[in-house]
Amino acid sequence: MEKQVVDGLREVFQSGRSRPLQYRKQQLRALHHLISERQADIEQALKQDLNRNTYNTSLFELISIENDIKLAESDMADWAAPQPVKKNLNSALDDVYIKPEPLGVVLIIGTWNYPWAMILQPLVGAIAAGNAAVLKPSELSEHSARLMKELLPLYLDKEMYQVVTGGVSETQELLKQRFDHIFYTGSSVVGKLVMEAAAHHLTPVTLELGGKSPCYIDKNCDIAVACRRITWGKFANCGQTCIAPDYILCEPNIQDRIVEEIQKTLLEFYQKDPKSSPDYCRIINTRHFDRVLALMNECTIALGGESDRSQCYIAPTVLGDVLPHFKIMQEEIFGPLLPIVTVNGLSEAIHFINAREKPLALYVFSSDKTVIKRMLAETTSGGVTVNDVLMHYTVDTLPFGGVGNSGMGRYHGRHTFNQLSHHRACLIKSFAMESLNDARYPPLTAARLRKAKFFMQHRLCSLIISTTAAQLLIP
């Protein structure tokens, strides 16, 4: 079945249906209609999957999808236009440019923690770039997956965009097919399997993975504000966010103050009983509940720790004096547990971060510009936010993606379009002035080589494409 789906999409794609920009804009508008007209259905599905309420669904998923759609619709013509490049003297009379082209059929494999955004945001870029797409939502967020399969054919061209549901076996069967790009969001473990399968067809991949995103709190900062922002980013969606602060690094003498400020903030955000708060989500299923709970075994609970397996509920929990060899420090937590690891100053914090896999996100809180500059200069990560958390994700002009073990490739806004396009190098030459080419033809001489070297090494500043070529090439 999966082969029939992919072959069918490829046949329609090769007919040229998605080449015109007007077609792509129509599909983006239809996707926007899906979000706006069926918002209540999406909210209900997420309530069933993650116990997420209406406001959090809009804040963490739907607004970002709508923003990406509007941006792509307004800027797509500019993104898809031929891009002039600088020329050397050898190509001075030629038209030289980069032409973004659709790749073909794209596979988008989503994840369960943000099941709509992690599928539809890449889809926006795929549509804008002119690709066909197969969407594979996670089976763990089953209500969202079922609804997506039901709704998408009602709004989008079902001969160009299809949803395939199911579990591991269906995903494995999809990965056997030849795609022109695979866009995967999820764990590093599965990311390696996706990359291995893609290698069979030499298919390029975008891997949006995760890891342990560190959060360094300098003693020279507004600790109350820092803890308020960290508490929001860590415990939103019950800690099931790939760029949530995974652990705190701080000096021992401010650890108690940090716990105290987080406790105050939790009371403000979720009142005395987070379990009854409409803003507090649940762990996705009992398997993940058991995994997260087991991570606390060696730890000292400074705050929280309550749980209820029947509801997949784990309270917002802070763990103090966590040591680097503890199990909780060996894997991404992906739950509402916040370990505090104490370090003796900035240099030790930097060493601690650099001794581990490159994280998807890095957070530093400080009022000292020297501290900030050192942290930025001496570490690396997919993205970084200073004096806040998560917010770099919301800026659509910034590329979002990992480095090393936290992923490869990038997306959001124009970056998604570029990631899912082929950037074709183009040079158009006339038949005139053939004598200028003598320097490269045999019989080669020292004089001809000097002439060729001169023409190839000197650049022109002109970025002009001939009007005729531009008219021919803009869709």
Side-chain angles (χ1 to χ4, degrees):
M1 178 185 173
E2 283 76 7
K3 186 178 189 305
Q4 291 175 341
V5 169
V6 177
D7 288 348
L9 293 181
R10 191 175 303 283
E11 183 178 349
V12 176
F13 168 78
Q14 290 176 344
S15 74
R17 184 180 297 183
S18 62
R19 288 277 177 172
L21 295 189
Q22 189 56 38
Y23 171 85
R24 305 180 200 180
K25 289 183 179 181
Q26 288 170 351
Q27 295 303 304
L28 288 174
R29 291 188 196 113
L31 186 60
H32 192 267
H33 289 320
L34 186 159
I35 298 297
S36 58
E37 293 172 9
R38 307 307 289 263
Q39 182 170 340
D41 296 324
I42 294 170
E43 290 168 351
Q44 179 60 29
L46 286 167
K47 178 69 176 176
Q48 293 172 296
D49 287 330
L50 289 156
N51 193 47
R52 192 189 298 159
N53 69 16
T54 297
Y55 305 113
N56 280 316
T57 290
S58 289
L59 181 64
F60 286 100
E61 297 213 54
L62 303 187
I63 292 174
S64 60
I65 298 168
E66 289 179 311
N67 286 346
D68 270 14
I69 292 171
K70 291 175 183 176
L71 178 66
E73 190 178 343
S74 66
D75 291 4
M76 187 197 313
D78 179 53
W79 298 349
Q83 301 161 16
V85 296
K86 289 185 178 180
K87 299 186 281 187
N88 57 27
L89 286 176
N90 202 45
S91 56
L93 301 178
D94 306 331
D95 292 321
V96 184
Y97 53 91
I98 299 167
K99 179 68 177 75
E101 295 186 337
L103 288 173
V105 182
V106 174
L107 171 61
I108 301 172
I109 304 175
T111 187
W112 50 263
N113 56 330
Y114 295 99
W116 293 87
M118 297 299 100
I119 286 274
L120 297 188
Q121 282 189 278
L123 177 61
V124 170
I127 293 172
N131 298 296
V134 175
L135 313 182
K136 173 57 182 71
S138 171
E139 69 278 10
L140 299 188
S141 47
E142 58 179 321
H143 298 92
S144 292
R146 195 180 305 123
L147 182 63
M148 191 178 295
K149 185 173 179 64
E150 174 191 331
L151 294 183
L152 215 74
L154 301 179
Y155 287 86
L156 297 190
D157 182 348
K158 58 188 176 185
E159 293 184 329
M160 283 287 291
Y161 314 102
Q162 289 201 24
V163 179
V164 173
T165 54
V168 174
S169 61
E170 286 79 7
T171 304
Q172 289 174 335
E173 192 60 35
L174 274 174
L175 289 171
K176 292 177 183 177
Q177 311 309 313
R178 182 174 70 84
F179 288 94
D180 298 288
H181 196 99
I182 297 175
F183 195 111
Y184 168 76
T185 304
S187 71
S188 298
V189 172
V190 179
K192 292 175 184 177
L193 298 176
V194 170
M195 194 171 183
E196 183 180 348
H200 180 71
H201 296 291
L202 294 179
T203 299
V205 296
T206 300
L207 301 178
E208 295 294 340
L209 309 178
K212 298 184 75 64
S213 296
C215 180
Y216 177 67
I217 304 178
D218 183 35
K219 60 181 180 292
N220 182 16
C221 79
D222 188 326
I223 292 178
V225 172
C227 289
R228 197 165 190 267
R229 295 173 183 178
I230 292 166
T231 301
W232 168 73
K234 176 62 182 182
F235 299 112
N237 208 40
C238 204
Q240 298 165 122
T241 303
C242 61
I243 52 172
D246 192 89
Y247 60 93
I248 288 174
L249 293 172
C250 68
E251 294 183 35
N253 60 349
I254 63 170
Q255 181 177 202
D256 289 344
R257 172 80 190 283
I258 288 171
V259 174
E260 178 186 335
E261 292 297 340
I262 292 175
Q263 186 172 30
K264 289 179 184 176
T265 304
L266 286 171
L267 188 61
E268 175 193 349
F269 287 179
Y270 305 116
Q271 288 73 57
K272 291 182 179 180
D273 182 18
K275 190 176 181 181
S276 60
S277 170
D279 289 301
Y280 193 69
C281 296
R282 296 294 185 268
I283 300 295
I284 185 68
N285 57 29
T286 53
R287 181 171 66 86
H288 280 279
F289 173 91
D290 293 339
R291 179 192 63 80
V292 173
L293 208 62
L295 295 176
M296 288 197 286
N297 286 345
E298 303 165 286
C299 303
T300 301
I301 297 173
L303 185 64
E306 301 83 10
S307 64
D308 181 348
R309 193 174 190 273
S310 68
Q311 292 192 26
C312 289
Y313 167 79
I314 300 176
T317 300
V318 179
L319 307 167
D321 295 314
V322 172
L323 298 178
H325 68 271
F326 284 5
K327 184 181 179 183
I328 198 169
M329 295 304 295
Q330 309 311 311
E331 63 180 78
E332 183 178 8
I333 297 168
F334 225 64
L337 312 182
L338 183 58
I340 300 177
V341 179
T342 58
V343 290
N344 294 315
L346 177 63
S347 294
E348 189 174 320
I350 290 171
H351 176 76
F352 189 95
I353 293 166
N354 289 339
R356 287 154 179 80
E357 295 284 5
K358 296 172 184 177
L360 183 56
L362 171 66
Y363 305 112
V364 53
F365 288 82
S366 180
S367 300
D368 187 334
K369 290 183 179 179
T370 302
V371 169
I372 295 168
K373 285 180 180 178
R374 278 197 63 193
M375 187 63 80
L376 292 176
E378 298 178 33
T379 65
T380 187
S381 61
V384 60
T385 294
V386 176
N387 294 330
D388 209 339
V389 297
L390 311 190
M391 295 308 292
H392 63 290
Y393 181 90
T394 68
V395 183
D396 56 33
T397 49
L398 284 176
F400 180 80
V403 58
N405 204 61
S406 59
M408 61 181 68
R410 63 207 60 81
Y411 76 120
H412 285 184
R414 185 170 191 164
H415 302 288
T416 321
F417 176 91
N418 288 338
Q419 190 74 10
L420 298 179
S421 296
H422 168 57
H423 297 268
R424 191 179 193 183
C426 300
L427 183 148
I428 299 177
K429 185 182 286 289
S430 79
F431 286 106
M433 305 188 75
E434 173 65 4
S435 61
L436 292 178
N437 296 321
D438 287 349
R440 60 184 162 106
Y441 294 153
L444 293 175
T445 64
R448 285 190 171 189
L449 182 60
R450 283 194 301 273
K451 183 180 177 182
K453 183 176 180 180
F454 177 82
F455 274 83
M456 293 174 72
Q457 289 187 340
H458 287 76
R459 287 191 172 187
L460 293 177
C461 294
S462 172
L463 296 178
I464 300 171
I465 290 183
S466 74
T467 304
T468 304
Q471 288 174 343
L472 285 172
L473 292 159
I474 297 175

